[in-house]
């Protein structure tokens, strides 16, 4: 089983964001932990990150060529990018939406997810461990 993890805007500076909210890890450290979770489950992992919405869409367009499922954290795009939602739908891959923080209990605008209805699962507020849960959801979905 192959899973692509795609991180969105501001993940390249994750360590500079509020550690109480985002965990204080660098993107490389986060991906290392996620890779370990995947290895435990026998999942082959690939990773992408971009600060460009169109590029995020292109990654989704190409994901079906090498992945069986997706774990997505589009960052702020989650709350308003209909383009990403449409590209996710076009991918026709099962996807799990993940957020490091408990977005539903933060600012009102963060509780909106335009991708929620095209995902097979959603995990929030569990920090890095949320990615382990997301991989478990995908593993069951793809069995």
């Amino acid at each position: 089983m192959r899973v692509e993890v795609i991180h969105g805007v501001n993940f390249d500076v994750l360590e500079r964001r509020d550690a109480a909210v985002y965990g204080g890890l660098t993107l490389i450290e986060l991906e290392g932990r996620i890779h370990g979770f995947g290895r435990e489950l026998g999942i082959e992992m690939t990773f992408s990150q971009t600060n460009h919405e169109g590029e995020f869409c292109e990654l989704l367009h190409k994901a079906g060529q090498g992945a069986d499922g997706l774990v997505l954290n589009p960052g702020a795009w989650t709350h308003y990018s209909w383009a990403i939602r449409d590209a996710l739908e076009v991918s026709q891959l099962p996807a799990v939406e993940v957020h490091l923080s408990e977005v539903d209990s933060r600012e009102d605008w963060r509780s909106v997810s335009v991708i929620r209805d095209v995902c097979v699962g959603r995990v929030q507020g569990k920090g890095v461990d949320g990615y382990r849960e997301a991989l478990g959801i995908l593993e069951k979905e793809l069995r």
Side-chain angles (χ1 to χ4, degrees), residues 51-125:
N51 289 318
H52 304 282
E53 185 178 11
E55 185 177 342
F56 198 100
C57 291
E58 289 175 3
L59 290 167
L60 290 171
H61 293 166
K62 295 174 186 171
Q65 297 169 7
D68 301 306
L70 300 165
V71 172
L72 305 176
N73 189 334
W77 293 324
T78 303
H79 315 297
Y80 66 88
S81 178
W82 294 101
I84 287 174
R85 185 218 181 271
D86 289 349
L88 176 56
E89 192 171 37
V90 166
S91 80
Q92 299 184 343
L93 292 174
V96 179
E97 172 186 349
V98 178
H99 301 283
L100 292 165
S101 69
E102 182 78 35
V103 291
D104 285 351
S105 64
R106 294 178 65 194
E107 301 90 346
D108 288 344
W109 62 269
R110 290 187 194 270
S111 66
V112 173
S113 170
V114 300
I115 66 170
R116 183 180 320 199
D117 69 328
V118 291
C119 289
V120 298
R122 183 172 193 246
V123 182
Q124 62 171 322

Side-chain angles (χ1 to χ4, degrees), residues 42-54:
I43 298 172
E44 183 181 324
M45 309 289 302
T46 56
F47 298 91
S48 301
Q49 185 279 327
T50 182
N51 289 318
H52 304 282
E53 185 178 11

